Amino acid sequence: MGSFKKPRNLATALLATSVLGGMPAWSEEPAQIGLETVTVSAQKLGEQDLQKVPVSIAVLDNAKLEDLHINDFRDFTRFLPSVSFTAGGQGMSGGPGQGNISMRGVTDGADGNHSGPLPTVGMYLDEIPITTIGGNLDVPAYDLARVEALAGPQGTLFGASSESGTIRLITNKPDADKFAAGYEIEGNKVEKGAFGYGLRGFVNIPIDDRAAIRVVAWDEHDGGYIDNVHNTRTYVTAGNTVHNAAPVKNDYNDTNKLGARAALGIDLDENWTVNVSVIGQLEKSNGIGGFDPSVGDLKVSHYFPEYAKDHWYQAALTVTGKIGNLDLTYATGYSDRRGSGASDYNDYAFWYDQLGLYYLDNAGNTVDPSQRILFADQFTKWSNELRLASPATERLRWVVGLFQERQTHNILQNYIIDALGTDYSVPGWPHTVWLTDQQRVDRDLAAFGQVTYDITPSLSLTGGVRVFEAKNSLEGFYGLSAALSSHSGVAGCQTPTIPDRFGGPCTNVNKHVYEWGETHKFNLQWQIDDEDMIYATYSTGYRPGGVNRVSQLPNYHSDGLDNYEIGWKTSWFQNTLRWDGALYWEEWSSPQFAFLGMSSLTQIVNAGAARIQGLDSDVTWQVVDGLTVSAAGAYNYARLTKVYCGGLDANGNVITSCTDPDAPTGTLLPSTPRFKGNLTGRYEFPLLSFKAHLQGALVYQTKASPDLRVQAPSPWDGSMVPIQKVLGIMPDFATFDITTGIEKDNWSVEFSVQNLFDDRGQLYRYAYCTTQVCGYQPYILPTKPRFMSITISQKF
């Protein structure tokens, strides 16, 4: 039977005739025809050609990370169309290390509260999971081999919190074959802001022919661009006026990072390899990343100093080897992350003063209600994975494994009113109006397996399953003193009082949840020829349940995602053009929704259902030698298929039927634009004795809502509040980056302008208080203003 062949040679000739006729020749050397092979390790079967892997994966390799000037976590999300970003951390400040992500619209828009649900996207650094609540680790992009973004449920191989996808940060490994080193020096300036710098370097040192060490270090200062301007505020009920002269400062949201990574690689023999690595970072950010549009563009009026420290390290060990012809991998990792800081909370205090709420000293006098938060968090994570895989070249190939993880989160939040009397303070905590002092523990055990069988040389069937057990707990104290509340805080302590081993006055929450279940996957792959493939996948994902800290509320259970997907990976015109993509239909069952309930406490319920229909696709085209154009985009129609009533009945059960829901059927899921895409063109050309380049990158996304709810009842009087009227909508926006530079031998100089037209895109909108009595005071987390940098680098 004859077969259809794509006219690669003819098309290439036509393109060359039409395009090259108007362009200068690159050099006397033969043209480099064909795109380079991109490798991934997403199937845990070693390095594979991306075009042969039947999974929707967006890859930013080392060259693209450097070309696009991607330095940190937020930069990653700009060029990953399936990924959306929301603020997190204390006060939703949106600073470094305080961002949360979602993929393909699977999100409720929650802010990463410490007592909220786990993320829906798993994060990995090499073989080790680094997923945390409250914001992902701010791992620098320097000396990364690549970033892999696996869209759709990845629960079979990557487990809990990979419900909607997984992002893997793959580092460059020690290389015993040769010495290598490099450095880069960057100076930068943000529009309407301050100067910054970046110093980065690496060295790879062979110890002998079987061992090497690689060390990476960085020192960065990001200049601020948010101004804290002078203002006054009058508390009507308390009867006093305050001003913020002390913390007034221009460009006060600057950030400093200092970190290093060291890795040792040893080939014990021809079959066994050991890799040991340690990475750590000290980071301090001042101010907040958002601004108050009622005060002015890139301006706020806050009354107390604000900062956040994020200090963390991770140690990892990976052992790979062979048992017969089977590949064995063992990976273990331990991380410790400690954060502390302070946050202004006067918006909340001001609006609640308007309600008539007041505070007293011990003499019974009304005091200044100005409020701030001191916080301290410690995360620890310990994980182990052992897996065994058959040779990847066999007709029947498989991978099986065991996984264990335990993560803890020690939580301390101290809400302070400086003049508050000790009679009204939380016992043992002077001037503290509210205290959260808890420990959260999340445990996960799993066994998994995946089998692929080649039905024919070109047709393969894959099936996989993961069986899991999840145990989560929350213990400690939260709330007010007995003088300020008769139903929560100290008033909720058991009799006799149970001591709080974490430092609070008692234990008033001690809850646990236990679940077990399975997630599975089926895939059919047709390798049409050596360059083209189509596949069909049915896969499921899950996210463990957890604990509501309010004792009267039930625990919430795991939610699940069913994904139906058809994808393709193709190469055209002698591999000068690649076009990959996937169409998907996803059903999100019993999604975990977090919202502010009584006393503005975060509550989580399983309610409603949602559906996501979408397309993600990317194209890379080597137009001619030296000119490459790439584009990527994602379309997501993500909306509710059942009403979200937003609350519990008198018996603590989720309300599933209501006439005036918080979000009716058809409401779009939050934080996810209907479309997000990017377009990049890069031209490399000779200039005198140099190799020069010119690059432009356009990123665009449509509008999105910051909150699922259309309306919600006020925690105080039950009246319905138009949430989207309070918070507003994040409008569509576009940013354009331009880069140019020259290189010769082993050094280069590059000039870059990001957000060339200084577009004030809105990544997120939030408020400290979202009831109608709080007025309309949203904050906007913007794209970084126009950012200019010059970088000098050298490699040896």
Tab-separated table of all heavy atoms in Angstrom, residues 465-490:
chain	number	residue	atom	x	y	z
A	465	VAL	N	-1.391	2.951	36.905
A	465	VAL	CA	-2.237	3.125	38.081
A	465	VAL	C	-1.363	3.531	39.263
A	465	VAL	O	-0.180	3.159	39.342
A	465	VAL	CB	-3.027	1.833	38.396
A	465	VAL	CG1	-2.078	0.706	38.791
A	465	VAL	CG2	-4.065	2.077	39.478
A	466	ARG	N	-1.920	4.306	40.160
A	466	ARG	CA	-1.256	4.685	41.400
A	466	ARG	C	-2.253	4.511	42.533
A	466	ARG	O	-3.367	5.042	42.479
A	466	ARG	CB	-0.772	6.135	41.335
A	466	ARG	CG	0.113	6.546	42.524
A	466	ARG	CD	0.470	8.016	42.420
A	466	ARG	NE	1.503	8.428	43.357
A	466	ARG	CZ	2.788	8.537	43.073
A	466	ARG	NH1	3.207	8.271	41.834
A	466	ARG	NH2	3.668	8.922	43.973
A	467	VAL	N	-1.882	3.759	43.539
A	467	VAL	CA	-2.699	3.562	44.729
A	467	VAL	C	-2.086	4.392	45.840
A	467	VAL	O	-0.871	4.325	46.077
A	467	VAL	CB	-2.757	2.072	45.131
A	467	VAL	CG1	-3.602	1.893	46.380
A	467	VAL	CG2	-3.304	1.241	43.982
A	468	PHE	N	-2.895	5.185	46.536
A	468	PHE	CA	-2.347	6.115	47.513
A	468	PHE	C	-3.098	6.044	48.837
A	468	PHE	O	-4.263	5.626	48.913
A	468	PHE	CB	-2.372	7.547	46.981
A	468	PHE	CG	-3.761	8.121	46.819
A	468	PHE	CD1	-4.389	8.794	47.857
A	468	PHE	CD2	-4.434	8.002	45.602
A	468	PHE	CE1	-5.665	9.322	47.702
A	468	PHE	CE2	-5.706	8.529	45.435
A	468	PHE	CZ	-6.328	9.184	46.487
A	469	GLU	N	-2.398	6.501	49.868
A	469	GLU	CA	-2.965	6.677	51.200
A	469	GLU	C	-2.525	8.034	51.698
A	469	GLU	O	-1.328	8.345	51.694
A	469	GLU	CB	-2.477	5.580	52.138
A	469	GLU	CG	-2.943	5.743	53.581
A	469	GLU	CD	-2.312	4.709	54.507
A	469	GLU	OE1	-1.159	4.941	54.942
A	469	GLU	OE2	-2.961	3.676	54.767
A	470	ALA	N	-3.470	8.865	52.115
A	470	ALA	CA	-3.163	10.218	52.568
A	470	ALA	C	-3.675	10.414	53.985
A	470	ALA	O	-4.818	10.060	54.304
A	470	ALA	CB	-3.792	11.249	51.633
A	471	LYS	N	-2.818	10.961	54.832
A	471	LYS	CA	-3.193	11.302	56.199
A	471	LYS	C	-2.780	12.744	56.456
A	471	LYS	O	-1.600	13.082	56.335
A	471	LYS	CB	-2.488	10.382	57.204
A	471	LYS	CG	-2.857	8.909	57.100
A	471	LYS	CD	-2.085	8.100	58.128
A	471	LYS	CE	-2.419	6.614	58.040
A	471	LYS	NZ	-1.656	5.813	59.034
A	472	ASN	N	-3.735	13.590	56.800
A	472	ASN	CA	-3.463	14.994	57.034
A	472	ASN	C	-4.031	15.415	58.382
A	472	ASN	O	-5.091	14.931	58.793
A	472	ASN	CB	-4.065	15.866	55.926
A	472	ASN	CG	-3.547	15.474	54.557
A	472	ASN	OD1	-2.387	15.097	54.429
A	472	ASN	ND2	-4.387	15.547	53.543
A	473	SER	N	-3.336	16.318	59.058
A	473	SER	CA	-3.781	16.741	60.388
A	473	SER	C	-3.472	18.210	60.615
A	473	SER	O	-2.584	18.791	59.979
A	473	SER	CB	-3.110	15.893	61.472
A	473	SER	OG	-1.703	16.077	61.454
A	474	LEU	N	-4.214	18.804	61.554
A	474	LEU	CA	-3.998	20.188	61.964
A	474	LEU	C	-4.238	20.264	63.462
A	474	LEU	O	-5.287	19.839	63.960
A	474	LEU	CB	-4.952	21.132	61.224
A	474	LEU	CG	-4.748	22.632	61.456
A	474	LEU	CD1	-3.422	23.095	60.866
A	474	LEU	CD2	-5.895	23.443	60.865
A	475	GLU	N	-3.264	20.804	64.182
A	475	GLU	CA	-3.346	20.853	65.644
A	475	GLU	C	-2.780	22.171	66.135
A	475	GLU	O	-1.780	22.667	65.605
A	475	GLU	CB	-2.553	19.692	66.251
A	475	GLU	CG	-2.539	19.674	67.776
A	475	GLU	CD	-1.674	18.583	68.339
A	475	GLU	OE1	-1.127	17.785	67.551
A	475	GLU	OE2	-1.524	18.537	69.581
A	476	GLY	N	-3.433	22.740	67.176
A	476	GLY	CA	-2.913	23.960	67.774
A	476	GLY	C	-4.020	24.887	68.226
A	476	GLY	O	-5.122	24.454	68.604
A	477	PHE	N	-3.719	26.181	68.144
A	477	PHE	CA	-4.651	27.205	68.616
A	477	PHE	C	-4.869	28.242	67.529
A	477	PHE	O	-3.960	28.568	66.770
A	477	PHE	CB	-4.084	27.896	69.865
A	477	PHE	CG	-4.915	29.063	70.340
A	477	PHE	CD1	-6.012	28.873	71.158
A	477	PHE	CD2	-4.597	30.363	69.937
A	477	PHE	CE1	-6.782	29.946	71.588
A	477	PHE	CE2	-5.368	31.442	70.355
A	477	PHE	CZ	-6.463	31.232	71.187
A	478	TYR	N	-6.092	28.790	67.502
A	478	TYR	CA	-6.382	29.941	66.662
A	478	TYR	C	-7.485	30.737	67.331
A	478	TYR	O	-8.348	30.177	68.017
A	478	TYR	CB	-6.824	29.520	65.250
A	478	TYR	CG	-8.229	28.956	65.208
A	478	TYR	CD1	-9.310	29.748	64.835
A	478	TYR	CD2	-8.486	27.642	65.591
A	478	TYR	CE1	-10.604	29.239	64.814
A	478	TYR	CE2	-9.768	27.131	65.572
A	478	TYR	CZ	-10.832	27.931	65.185
A	478	TYR	OH	-12.109	27.420	65.181
A	479	GLY	N	-7.462	32.054	67.160
A	479	GLY	CA	-8.588	32.844	67.607
A	479	GLY	C	-8.246	33.986	68.535
A	479	GLY	O	-7.088	34.405	68.681
A	480	LEU	N	-9.317	34.503	69.203
A	480	LEU	CA	-9.280	35.686	70.040
A	480	LEU	C	-9.238	35.298	71.515
A	480	LEU	O	-9.367	34.126	71.880
A	480	LEU	CB	-10.523	36.544	69.780
A	480	LEU	CG	-10.785	36.991	68.339
A	480	LEU	CD1	-12.239	37.396	68.164
A	480	LEU	CD2	-9.870	38.146	67.963
A	481	SER	N	-9.099	36.305	72.342
A	481	SER	CA	-9.207	36.081	73.783
A	481	SER	C	-10.668	35.869	74.156
A	481	SER	O	-11.584	36.193	73.391
A	481	SER	CB	-8.646	37.284	74.540
A	481	SER	OG	-9.489	38.419	74.359
A	482	ALA	N	-10.893	35.354	75.365
A	482	ALA	CA	-12.260	35.121	75.821
A	482	ALA	C	-13.027	36.422	75.988
A	482	ALA	O	-14.258	36.457	75.872
A	482	ALA	CB	-12.231	34.344	77.133
A	483	ALA	N	-12.302	37.528	76.246
A	483	ALA	CA	-12.959	38.819	76.413
A	483	ALA	C	-13.517	39.365	75.108
A	483	ALA	O	-14.415	40.204	75.112
A	483	ALA	CB	-11.977	39.825	77.014
A	484	LEU	N	-13.000	38.901	73.968
A	484	LEU	CA	-13.432	39.419	72.670
A	484	LEU	C	-14.327	38.463	71.909
A	484	LEU	O	-14.946	38.859	70.920
A	484	LEU	CB	-12.205	39.761	71.814
A	484	LEU	CG	-11.340	40.921	72.316
A	484	LEU	CD1	-10.155	41.140	71.398
A	484	LEU	CD2	-12.167	42.206	72.432
A	485	SER	N	-14.386	37.206	72.296
A	485	SER	CA	-15.238	36.240	71.592
A	485	SER	C	-15.725	35.189	72.574
A	485	SER	O	-14.949	34.674	73.382
A	485	SER	CB	-14.469	35.568	70.456
A	485	SER	OG	-15.245	34.564	69.853
A	486	SER	N	-17.010	34.871	72.473
A	486	SER	CA	-17.605	33.861	73.350
A	486	SER	C	-17.751	32.511	72.668
A	486	SER	O	-18.251	31.563	73.274
A	486	SER	CB	-18.990	34.337	73.821
A	486	SER	OG	-19.854	34.535	72.688
A	487	HIS	N	-17.292	32.404	71.390
A	487	HIS	CA	-17.506	31.145	70.674
A	487	HIS	C	-16.246	30.626	69.974
A	487	HIS	O	-16.245	29.508	69.467
A	487	HIS	CB	-18.631	31.290	69.646
A	487	HIS	CG	-18.346	32.293	68.568
A	487	HIS	ND1	-18.598	33.634	68.735
A	487	HIS	CD2	-17.808	32.161	67.321
A	487	HIS	CE1	-18.248	34.283	67.636
A	487	HIS	NE2	-17.768	33.431	66.765
A	488	SER	N	-15.188	31.404	69.898
A	488	SER	CA	-13.978	30.943	69.233
A	488	SER	C	-12.771	31.347	70.059
A	488	SER	O	-12.897	32.004	71.092
A	488	SER	CB	-13.867	31.528	67.818
A	488	SER	OG	-13.689	32.937	67.885
A	489	GLY	N	-11.589	30.968	69.615
A	489	GLY	CA	-10.378	31.304	70.333
A	489	GLY	C	-10.320	30.622	71.687
A	489	GLY	O	-10.586	29.427	71.817
A	490	VAL	N	-9.984	31.390	72.719
A	490	VAL	CA	-9.876	30.831	74.061
A	490	VAL	C	-11.209	30.238	74.507
A	490	VAL	O	-11.249	29.223	75.211
A	490	VAL	CB	-9.386	31.901	75.053
A	490	VAL	CG1	-9.398	31.387	76.481
A	490	VAL	CG2	-7.988	32.365	74.677
